[in-house]
Amino acid sequence: MLILGISLVLILIGLYAIITKRNMIKVAVGFALMEYAVNFLFAIIGFHKVPGMKIIPPILMEVKTTANVLSSYSDPVPQALVLTSIVIGLGVTAFMLSLALRIYNRIGSFDLDEIKRLKG
Amino acid sequence: MEILNALINITDKGAGFLHSIPALLIAIPLGAAFLAPILFKLWKRLAEIITGLAVTACLVLAIYLVLFLGNTPIVYTFSGGNWEFIQNLLPLGIVFVVDKLAAFMLLVVSILVFFAYLFGLKYLERFTGLGKYYTLYLLMFTGMIGLVMTGDLFNMFVFMEIAAISSYALVAFGTEPEELEAGFKYMVMGEIASIMILLSIAFIYSSTSTLNLAHLSYAFTQMQTQMASTPGFRAGFYFVLILLMFSFSLKAALVPFHSWLPDAHPSAPAPISALLSGVFIKVLGVYAMVRILYNVYGFSWESSPEVFTALIVLGLASIIAGSLLALNQKDYKRLLAYSSISQVGYIILGFGIGNLFALIGALAHILAHALGKGLLFLTSGSVVYRTGERDLGKLGGGLGKYMPWTSLTYNLGALSVAGIPPFLGFFSKMFIILGAIDLARVWDSDPSKPGWTMIAVAIIAGLFAVVTLGYLLKITNQVFWGKSEEKRTLKESPFIMVFAMVSLVVLLLAGGVAFFFWLKPELLGPAADVLLKGTKYGELVLPGLFGAGG
C-alpha cells in the first residue's frame, strides 16, 4: 500500500507540473516524473515478499514443494514490460525536448503563454 | 522475395497463407518505414516508390482478409521456444487476433492510407525532408494496423505509442511556429492519456496476472463473484475502468477532452490531416475503447447500464458541442476538425446505444466518416495547394469555376458526411437513429426505464445531422460558389490529387448503393456480431482455456 501511495503521489506531482507550469522544459520534467512513477509502480507489482529473503530475483531457484513455486521467484513479466515502457518514455521525452528546443529557436522563449497563436 | 517466403514459412503452421497475413501486415510497413530514408538518400523517388509498394501491398492484404476470413478468427502467435503444447491453454508470446471486426478496421485504415499517399505524391513536393515524412507516415500506419490486430493489452499500448509519437511529429512537420505549438499541445494531451493507459494496465496486471485480451476477458468473468463480496475490489475495478475510459476519450477527442484536436489536425499537411481525422482518432480512441469495453469487460445494457449511459452522454456532448463550435469557424481546416469531433460523437453514440442496429450504424459511420472526412481534408489540401490560403474570408468565393473537380468532390463529400442519400453517410446515421428508436421500443415495455430519453436522443441525432449540413455548406458558399471580385489565374489541381478525391467519392457512392447488398450482410453485420458476442471473443481465441475452465 505504501508503494502504491508513493507512486500515486509522484504521478500527481507530475500532473501538477504539467498543468500549472508554463515553461516547456518544466512540462517535460513533469512528464518524466509521471512516467517514472508509473514504471516504478509497474515494476514493484511483480515482487513477492517472502519471509527470510530480502530480494527475490525473477529466476526459478530451488523448488521444494509445488505450492511454493509461484512465491519462490519474482514475476518477470512486469520487469520486461517496464523495460519497454522506459524505452518509449525515453523517446517521448527526447521528442518533447526537441520540440521545445525547436520552438525556442523560432520564438526565443520557452514560455507557453508567449506562443499562444492558435485560437478559436 | 526469399525473405518473404522465409517469413511465410516461419509463420505458416499448416493453416496456409491466410494465417500468416497478420505478420506480413506488420512486417511490410515497418520494414519499408526504415528503408525509406535510406533509399531517399540514393534517389528521391525511391522513398515514394517503396512507400507506395508497402501501402498497396497492405491494401491488397486487407481486401484479401475481408474476402476470405472465415467465422473463426485468425490467431497468430509469435513465440520463441517450444511453447506450442500449451498454446491453446495459456497465451504465451506475441498474439495477433484478426476477427471480422479487426478485418473491417484494417480495410478502413488501409483504404484511407492508400489514397492519402496518392494525394501526397504531388501535394508534398514543396516540403523538405520527405524521407523522414515517409518513415513517420509508415510508422503511423504500422501503429494503427498493430493496434487493430493485437490480442494483448500491453502491445496495444506499444502500438498506440508508435502511432501517437509519429503523429506528434507529423503534426509539427511544417515547423512553422503555429504547427510546432499545435504539436506540443497535442503531445501534452496525448501523452497524459498514454501514461494513464499504462497506469491502468499496471493495475489490471496486478489483479489478473495476465495481459492477453482473451485471457483477460476470462479473468474478468471469473472476477464477478469476488467483486460482489469485496467493496474495495469493486472500487478498484471502477477506478481502472474510469481511467481507461478517460484516456480513450482523450485519444478520441470526445467533448470535454477535445481541446487539442482543432489545433492539431489542421496544422498537419493535408494528407496527414485526412488520416488523423479519418482513421487515427477512431483507431486509437474509439476502436480500442470499444474492443475493451465490449470484448474484454463484456459489458452490456443488462449488466452495467452506467457505462453505456456514460458513452451516450459523451457522444451527445460531442455531437452538440462539436457542431455548434464548427458553425462559427473562419478557417477551412479548423471547421472540418470541429466537424470531426461531432461525427466521432455519432460513432460513440452508436456504440453507447449498443444494439445490433446501432452497432452496424456506428461501424458504418466509421467507414463513412473515414472516407468522407478524409475526402474533405484532401479538398482543403487541394485548395491550399493552389491558393496557399485557408482563411474562409480571404479565399473570397468563386473557386468552383477554376477548380471544378475540387468543388464537385467537396460538395458530394459534404453531402455524405451530413447524411444525404444515396451516400454511405446517410445509411450510417440512419442506422444509429434506428438503434435509438429500437432501444426506446425495448425500454417502453419496462416501466423502470425511461423510453422517452432514447426518443429524445434519436431526435437530437437527427437534428444535428441538419446542423452538419449547415456548417459544411458554409465552406461551399464561401469558397466554391459565388463570384470573386478580382480576376484569378487558378488551375485545377494535378491529376493524381483529383484522382484520389474522385476515388473517395466513388467509394462513398458505391458504399451507399451496395449497403444492403454487400456492405451490411458481408462486412458490417459480422463485425457488429463480434461486439455483440461480448466475452465469447475469449472463447474463440483461446478455446482450450475455456474448455478446461468451464
Side-chain angles (χ1 to χ4, degrees):
Chain A
M1 269 331 258
L2 182 69
I3 302 284
L4 185 70
I6 291 172
S7 47
L8 283 183
V9 166
L10 282 175
I11 290 170
L12 290 179
I13 292 173
L15 197 59
Y16 170 80
I18 293 164
I19 293 169
T20 58
K21 296 297 169 198
R22 306 315 302 168
N23 187 317
M24 280 185 281
I25 303 293
K26 286 181 183 168
V27 171
V29 170
F31 268 110
L33 194 58
M34 245 172 118
E35 270 162 17
Y36 295 154
V38 175
N39 289 341
F40 174 61
L41 176 70
F42 210 153
I44 235 73
I45 280 169
F47 280 95
H48 295 289
K49 228 178 187 174
V50 175
M53 283 181 85
K54 273 183 182 165
I55 301 163
I56 311 173
I59 301 165
L60 192 58
M61 291 184 298
E62 43 182 322
V63 183
K64 280 161 193 155
T65 58
T66 42
N68 71 353
V69 171
L70 279 179
S71 60
S72 67
Y73 70 108
S74 288
D75 191 349
V77 174
Q79 304 188 4
L81 300 184
V82 164
L83 210 58
T84 314
S85 86
I86 286 173
V87 175
I88 292 173
L90 172 78
V92 168
T93 312
F95 184 70
M96 188 168 268
L97 287 175
S98 58
L99 207 55
L101 205 62
R102 202 69 190 260
I103 294 175
Y104 181 77
N105 287 341
R106 279 304 184 94
I107 297 172
S109 167
F110 280 121
D111 198 334
L112 277 170
D113 284 329
E114 283 182 30
I115 58 166
K116 263 191 190 155
R117 301 199 181 183
L118 296 165
K119 284 194 198 86
Chain B
M1 217 43 222
E2 245 175 46
I3 303 168
L4 203 69
N5 280 333
L7 197 69
I8 291 169
N9 281 336
I10 292 168
T11 57
D12 192 355
K13 282 173 187 151
F17 177 63
L18 194 67
H19 193 79
S20 56
I21 286 180
L24 289 175
L25 273 174
I26 296 286
I28 291 171
L30 197 61
F34 293 109
L35 277 178
I38 302 168
L39 294 176
F40 187 78
K41 287 255 191 282
L42 298 176
W43 184 41
K44 241 184 80 172
R45 293 276 164 204
L46 271 180
E48 287 171 9
I49 291 167
I50 187 110
T51 312
L53 285 176
V55 165
T56 317
C58 288
L59 179 62
V60 170
L61 285 177
I63 292 172
Y64 184 85
L65 262 183
V66 165
L67 291 180
F68 293 104
L69 182 64
N71 277 325
T72 45
I74 301 174
V75 182
Y76 172 84
T77 317
F78 186 85
S79 58
N82 295 315
W83 295 100
E84 276 82 8
F85 67 96
I86 207 170
Q87 210 55 261
N88 277 335
L89 199 63
L90 276 177
L92 293 168
I94 301 168
V95 184
F96 291 118
V97 179
V98 182
D99 52 14
K100 291 276 189 182
L101 177 63
F104 167 72
M105 291 302 293
L106 284 176
L107 182 69
V108 177
V109 172
S110 5
I111 286 177
L112 200 61
V113 165
F114 179 74
F115 285 112
Y117 161 76
L118 284 187
F119 186 88
L121 283 176
K122 269 284 177 208
Y123 180 81
L124 291 162
E125 273 177 344
R126 61 208 171 86
F127 285 85
T128 53
L130 281 183
K132 290 165 200 131
Y133 170 86
Y134 284 116
T135 306
L136 293 168
Y137 188 82
L138 285 169
L139 280 178
M140 194 165 102
F141 186 33
T142 315
M144 288 192 284
I145 284 185
L147 201 157
V148 169
M149 291 197 307
T150 188
D152 183 294
L153 198 57
F154 192 76
N155 278 354
M156 191 181 254
F157 168 75
V158 172
F159 282 120
M160 188 176 277
E161 285 294 272
I162 292 175
I165 295 176
S166 30
S167 78
Y168 308 144
L170 283 169
V171 163
F173 196 74
T175 64
E176 292 301 311
E178 290 84 7
E179 285 152 354
L180 292 170
E181 186 202 342
F184 195 82
K185 213 171 165 181
Y186 176 31
M187 185 164 190
V188 167
M189 298 303 267
E191 278 311 305
I192 288 178
S194 296
I195 291 174
M196 290 302 167
I197 289 171
L198 186 62
L199 182 63
S200 50
I201 290 174
F203 283 129
I204 287 176
Y205 185 80
S206 76
S207 57
T208 60
S209 299
T210 182
L211 288 168
N212 185 288
L213 291 181
H215 198 191
L216 269 179
S217 73
Y218 174 74
F220 281 135
T221 42
Q222 299 290 309
M223 223 185 253
Q224 295 301 324
T225 46
Q226 205 182 344
M227 263 195 29
S229 56
T230 358
F233 198 80
R234 197 179 162 77
F237 182 84
Y238 276 97
F239 175 68
V240 171
L241 179 62
I242 290 169
L243 214 56
L244 276 177
M245 281 184 74
F246 159 76
S247 334
F248 288 131
S249 307
L250 229 168
K251 291 268 184 203
L254 299 174
V255 173
F257 313 113
H258 67 285
S259 61
W260 56 270
L261 188 142
D263 294 338
H265 287 192
S267 299
I272 300 303
S273 304
L275 274 189
L276 288 177
S277 260
V279 287
F280 192 80
I281 48 176
K282 295 190 196 81
V283 171
L284 262 74
V286 178
Y287 171 84
M289 171 148 70
V290 163
R291 179 65 102 184
I292 286 174
L293 289 187
Y294 275 85
N295 285 144
V296 177
Y297 279 102
F299 289 137
S300 64
W301 266 106
E302 286 77 37
S303 67
S304 44
E306 65 278 0
V307 174
F308 289 86
T309 317
L311 284 182
I312 288 182
V313 169
L314 280 172
L316 279 183
S318 306
I319 292 172
I320 295 170
S323 304
L324 295 182
L325 286 166
L327 277 173
N328 207 18
Q329 294 306 312
K330 305 215 163 26
D331 182 310
Y332 197 138
K333 289 174 93 172
R334 214 174 166 79
L335 192 154
L336 295 179
Y338 273 109
S339 159
S340 283
I341 295 174
S342 147
Q343 301 303 315
V344 169
Y346 274 100
I347 295 169
I348 286 294
L349 176 66
F351 284 123
I353 293 167
N355 50 22
L356 183 62
F357 282 120
L359 287 180
I360 287 178
L363 290 169
H365 206 60
I366 286 181
L367 178 60
H369 183 247
L371 301 175
K373 190 53 62 68
L375 166 67
L376 297 192
F377 268 112
L378 292 187
T379 62
S380 84
S382 171
V383 169
V384 170
Y385 184 79
R386 283 301 183 206
T387 63
E389 190 60 63
R390 266 165 42 187
D391 195 296
L392 289 180
K394 287 182 191 158
L395 277 166
L399 276 180
K401 209 172 102 190
Y402 308 101
M403 306 172 80
W405 286 104
T406 308
S407 168
L408 180 73
T409 49
Y410 176 85
N411 287 331
L412 296 179
L415 290 183
S416 171
V417 171
I420 306 290
F423 292 100
L424 185 55
F426 166 71
F427 294 101
S428 58
K429 279 188 184 170
M430 184 182 83
F431 267 78
I432 291 172
I433 293 170
L434 275 180
I437 294 170
D438 192 53
L439 194 63
R441 185 183 59 77
V442 174
W443 278 12
D444 257 352
S445 53
D446 185 350
S448 67
K449 285 172 178 159
W452 61 270
T453 49
M454 275 300 130
I455 297 290
V457 166
I459 290 172
I460 291 174
L463 203 65
F464 275 87
V466 182
V467 179
T468 308
L469 190 61
Y471 60 69
L472 288 175
L473 286 184
K474 185 178 166 185
I475 290 182
T476 307
N477 194 20
Q478 295 196 359
V479 177
F480 295 115
W481 289 356
K483 278 189 182 140
S484 61
E485 288 88 47
E486 73 249 59
K487 245 330 197 194
R488 297 193 192 211
T489 50
L490 287 170
K491 282 192 301 184
E492 182 55 84
S493 292
F495 169 75
I496 195 86
M497 287 161 77
V498 173
F499 174 76
M501 294 188 289
V502 172
S503 309
L504 286 174
V505 170
V506 170
L507 281 178
L508 276 172
L509 249 177
V513 171
F515 189 81
F516 286 105
F517 304 110
W518 186 74
L519 209 54
K520 182 168 162 286
E522 293 293 324
L523 205 57
L524 302 169
D529 202 44
V530 170
L531 290 175
L532 277 179
K533 273 183 187 154
T535 46
K536 280 262 168 37
Y537 168 80
E539 252 167 82
L540 287 170
V541 175
L542 290 172
L545 178 71
F546 279 82

